[in-house]
Amino acid sequence: MRTLLVLLLLASSACAGAVGSECELDEECAEGLTCFAQTCQQLGEPGGTLTFEVVPQPGTGLHAATFAMGRQPLRFGFCAPEAIAGTVEAEATVLIHGTPAGLPGQVRHFQQQVDGDFTLGLPPGTWTLEFLLAPGEDGPPPPPERRAVQLARCETEPLGLVATAAAAGLARFAVLVDPVRDPRPRCGLLARIHDPLTGAALSQTLAIEHEEGAPCTTPVGGWALPFAAPSGGEIELRLVPAAGAYPTVAERAVLLPAPDDDVIHEVGVGEAAVLERITVEVAGPDGAPVAAATVRAIPLVEPGADRFEPPPAAEIATGRYELWLLPGSYRIEAEPPPFVAAATGRCLAPPEGGPCDEVAIVESGAPASYRIDLQQQLVLTGRVAAPDRTSLGGARIRALPVEGGRWAETVSAPSGRYELQLDPGRYELLVIPADPAAAWRRFEQESPLLQSGTLDLQLPEPARVVGTVVGTSDGAAVPLPRAVVRAWRVDGDEAKVVGESLTDAAGRFGLALPADD
């Protein structure tokens, strides 16, 4: 009898489903396995704090939403689309920016036109809405109306009536070349009032324009901008060149007392209105001129919504480029064309050679010339290995520059070897295996790559995560096929993607995520 009992236990154990076996219930799988999608699966515990972003297929009427890691199998259920609803008294442009719930550092921007009753579908999260209401007939644009909203899952947040904000004052001003020496008016500008203490915009943007072929004129009573109440007793008038053409003035930020409506403040652009010609010679590693390079000047200032960005330089001769720039500080970089094996150059030297600098100071009345000598790209090589240290071929290795620039990608050979041609700088290496059952991995360099080197990349142990994405129809749950499920690893105030998948026809998904840190 005892022998028979042992044989029955062994037979029962042998019948338990192994990984990959078909099943209907968990009991049909071996101990520690879970039955999901009619298959026995080994689920794991991914490392770190995870947030899952689910993006439904277009046409479902649903918006992206975020979900926290829970007990597996996961179930992400969509309800009625989250939205912000209200009414505007006039046609308005709504600028929306904020952060989806659970994704710190991932700021999203949206823009929509509304008129009358409106409903704005947004993911759950923290959002700031800036309503730019249309001006009245022949009137200046009213101050922006701002609303801050915390949008929760499955909720519609009512805003009520969004009306034209009451103006605290009306700034009147005239923009002149120089109020004393050259009082001609200047056009081709964008003007806006800001709070000098907080930096917040207190007015809409006013375009100071003139008709083509007509002289620039100032309206009787000056240009007028209604503004909201500032934090202190002053306002800041910011003037920037209008986009779409080379600027004719430098940027200006002028502090004004919160003005009386009848006072016209004369603002001069002075000598800074002059553009300076900057020429750049670009030479390859062999010293020969490099044609068809992309040479651009990047202002070394905080970017602004209305800021003019200089267009790429024009090539005026083989390997010789021309920029027209406003006075200020710039980083000038030369990116070689694809057929030239060289790194992006940022070091500016005198045309005759000598020490170089990475910052160009453009001064009024001082045109300048520079030379950029391109260097050979650096070579980063190494071996990609699976968690058991065996060679891993077919993996994509993507080098993402931490501080901006060109990125590169390659695929590992069957031996696991890879090679990347890179510019100097610090990179984050993202390894995406060909096998969907293997986990991605990010490797961030602690120090910049300044010379060719070797870096071996070993993938982490995978932790299998599975789940289902569903919506609702007539009160019943329905699967959402072809929804993107993106796993974000959250670390403090930063979030990075560590895996991505699509749901199948039954709304099911599976992800292999790193099990360790």
Side-chain angles (χ1 to χ4, degrees):
M1 179 65 70
R2 181 177 299 174
T3 302
L4 179 60
L5 180 61
V6 170
L7 290 175
L8 288 173
L9 289 174
L10 289 173
S12 174
S13 176
C15 291
V19 173
S21 299
E22 294 183 0
C23 61
E24 294 293 337
L25 301 171
D26 288 348
E27 290 76 11
E28 299 175 21
C29 300
E31 185 176 355
L33 303 186
T34 300
C35 183
F36 182 78
Q38 291 80 50
T39 305
C40 293
Q41 302 193 27
Q42 176 72 57
L43 305 183
E45 289 292 333
T49 301
L50 293 180
T51 295
F52 293 88
E53 182 181 24
V54 182
V55 184
Q57 191 177 18
T60 61
L62 299 173
H63 307 286
T66 53
F67 303 85
M69 178 72 187
R71 185 176 177 180
Q72 296 201 64
L74 302 171
R75 182 179 175 85
F76 299 149
F78 280 80
C79 41
E82 294 83 3
I84 298 172
T87 304
V88 290
E89 66 174 12
E91 183 180 357
T93 299
V94 189
L95 307 179
I96 308 164
H97 70 273
T99 303
L103 294 180
Q106 297 300 310
V107 179
R108 307 288 167 81
H109 299 270
F110 307 95
Q111 178 174 323
Q112 284 191 243
Q113 297 293 124
V114 295
D115 191 4
D117 296 332
F118 67 86
T119 300
L120 302 174
L122 291 172
T126 304
W127 305 98
T128 298
L129 287 76
E130 184 176 20
F131 290 85
L132 307 179
L133 281 86
E137 187 174 348
D138 298 328
E145 176 69 11
R146 283 190 183 81
R147 301 291 180 91
V149 176
Q150 185 74 39
L151 187 61
R153 289 195 63 238
C154 307
E155 289 188 358
T156 294
E157 183 71 23
L159 284 188
L161 177 65
V162 180
T164 302
L170 184 68
R172 294 185 181 275
F173 57 92
V175 183
L176 312 175
V177 177
D178 188 293
V180 177
R181 293 178 297 175
D182 190 353
R184 288 176 300 170
R186 298 301 301 228
C187 292
L189 299 167
L190 300 174
R192 199 172 195 184
I193 304 293
H194 288 257
D195 190 318
L197 298 180
T198 66
L202 301 178
S203 76
Q204 293 195 42
T205 299
L206 174 68
I208 299 177
E209 303 173 319
H210 61 85
E211 295 183 7
E212 186 175 354
C216 179
T217 59
T218 301
V220 175
W223 299 101
L225 262 179
F227 62 89
S231 302
E234 291 183 313
I235 60 174
E236 182 181 74
L237 172 63
R238 295 185 189 177
L239 300 169
V240 299
Y246 267 108
T248 57
V249 296
E251 293 186 16
R252 293 297 309 275
V254 183
L255 288 177
L256 303 174
D260 297 328
D261 291 355
D262 295 332
V263 176
I264 300 177
H265 295 270
E266 293 185 338
V267 180
V269 294
E271 296 178 355
V274 179
L275 292 170
E276 297 303 335
R277 182 176 186 261
I278 307 298
T279 58
V280 181
E281 298 176 10
V282 180
D286 58 358
V290 175
T294 301
V295 179
R296 60 175 66 90
I298 303 166
L300 297 181
V301 288
E302 288 295 326
D306 298 326
R307 182 171 301 279
F308 174 82
E309 297 292 343
E315 187 170 7
I316 56 177
T318 303
R320 187 175 176 84
Y321 301 83
E322 180 182 67
L323 285 160
W324 287 90
L325 302 176
L326 293 168
S329 300
Y330 297 85
R331 185 178 81 238
I332 299 178
E333 61 181 32
E335 182 180 311
F339 53 83
V340 175
T344 298
R346 299 184 178 90
C347 203
L348 305 166
E352 63 275 8
C356 62
D357 197 331
E358 292 199 357
V359 176
I361 308 297
V362 178
E363 299 178 341
S364 296
S369 297
Y370 298 99
R371 177 185 174 94
I372 297 179
D373 290 302
L374 304 182
Q375 306 299 316
Q376 293 285 356
Q377 282 189 298
L378 305 178
V379 179
L380 183 66
T381 61
R383 174 177 171 267
V384 182
D388 60 2
R389 299 186 181 278
T390 58
S391 298
L392 190 67
R396 276 189 292 152
I397 302 96
R398 187 176 297 160
L400 305 170
V402 174
E403 298 174 350
R406 291 192 294 177
W407 62 278
E409 183 176 278
T410 190
V411 176
S412 61
S415 63
R417 302 296 298 179
Y418 75 91
E419 180 178 304
L420 287 164
Q421 305 281 336
L422 300 174
D423 294 341
R426 192 158 64 91
Y427 290 86
E428 183 179 58
L429 300 178
L430 176 61
V431 183
I432 305 176
D435 183 1
W440 297 11
R441 181 106 193 213
R442 289 180 179 267
F443 301 82
E444 187 165 333
Q445 294 178 304
E446 294 182 359
S447 56
L449 182 68
L450 300 177
Q451 59 185 9
S452 297
T454 301
L455 180 63
D456 291 335
L457 309 172
Q458 183 175 348
L459 293 179
E461 289 289 345
R464 181 76 173 165
V465 174
V466 298
T468 306
V469 178
V470 298
T472 56
S473 178
D474 297 327
V478 294
L480 292 179
R482 299 196 62 76
V484 177
V485 181
R486 191 173 293 126
W488 294 78
R489 175 79 169 272
V490 180
D491 184 11
D493 58 355
E494 188 177 45
K496 294 184 177 180
V497 176
V498 292
E500 188 174 284
S501 180
L502 277 176
T503 57
D504 63 13
R508 299 171 304 205
F509 68 90
L511 283 165
L513 303 176
D516 57 11
D517 292 341

